[in-house]
Amino acid sequence: MYKNLFIGALFCVFSLLSIQVVHAEDNEPPFIGGNYWEVTGIKIADGAGLKYAKWLASEWRKSSDFAVEQGWISSYSIVKNVHPRADEPDLYIVRVFENMASVAENEKRREAYFQWVQKSMEKMQEESGNRAEYRTIMSTYLLQEMKFRQ
């Protein structure tokens, strides 16, 4: 009789433990948020691929390397759409970062960047406008990587 009572009590303890584990799992989503991916789709004008590639490999790369050095982004890449349809980008420019910056942090970054680049806002706007002659920004997405919960 005591043996059956002991087994019954043990069964109740293990049942309560298993209910708590199931309950905890029910309250946790299967994913946790990871890095943010900013993806910009670029359409390049016919015959301008080399010109834009040279700009990406020089000015854009230097700026992106600076952002990595500062810890503002963790990585960057350029992905080519090998067989783009007429309404699709030719290139995707990808910048990966861990957290969104606050307004105050963005102001600090802007100041640090302008000090580093040594160009005025007007000059940079003019240069961006000049690139519009041979490339069009089709879209920009802000995506967040979803990681499986362990």
Side-chain angles (χ1 to χ4, degrees):
M1 177 169 139
Y2 289 112
K3 182 178 178 185
N4 287 341
L5 187 59
F6 177 74
I7 291 174
L10 199 56
F11 175 76
C12 288
V13 168
F14 285 125
S15 294
L16 286 174
L17 290 175
S18 67
I19 288 171
Q20 288 176 348
V21 169
V22 169
H23 180 70
E25 289 175 0
D26 285 346
N27 288 327
E28 291 183 351
F31 297 105
I32 58 172
N35 288 335
Y36 291 92
W37 294 46
E38 181 185 69
V39 181
T40 303
I42 304 290
K43 189 69 169 177
I44 303 169
D46 287 343
L50 181 60
K51 184 175 186 176
Y52 191 55
K54 285 182 176 182
W55 179 81
L56 287 170
S58 60
E59 295 294 318
W60 184 80
R61 185 177 185 186
K62 283 185 228 174
S63 291
S64 297
D65 285 341
F66 179 73
V68 169
E69 290 169 11
Q70 299 302 306
W72 302 341
I73 63 175
S74 56
S75 66
Y76 62 90
S77 60
I78 300 169
V79 182
K80 180 179 180 179
N81 186 352
V82 178
H83 300 294
R85 291 172 276 210
D87 60 343
E88 293 179 340
D90 298 305
L91 296 177
Y92 293 94
I93 296 175
V94 181
R95 297 168 19 111
V96 180
F97 55 97
E98 186 176 344
N99 295 310
M100 302 294 285
S102 67
V103 173
E105 177 62 24
N106 273 333
E107 283 299 304
K108 288 179 189 175
R109 290 178 183 188
R110 184 186 61 75
E111 290 174 18
Y113 182 76
F114 278 109
Q115 188 173 31
W116 173 80
V117 78
Q118 297 183 350
K119 292 181 185 178
S120 69
M121 190 178 297
E122 290 81 16
K123 177 68 173 164
M124 291 176 63
Q125 190 70 30
E126 177 187 329
E127 291 172 354
S128 179
N130 292 342
R131 286 189 299 282
E133 296 173 9
Y134 55 88
R135 66 94 174 103
T136 301
I137 297 173
M138 296 185 71
S139 61
T140 298
Y141 298 99
L142 181 60
L143 310 171
Q144 186 177 23
E145 180 182 11
M146 299 304 292
K147 296 182 177 185
F148 290 107
R149 190 173 293 280
Q150 296 292 343

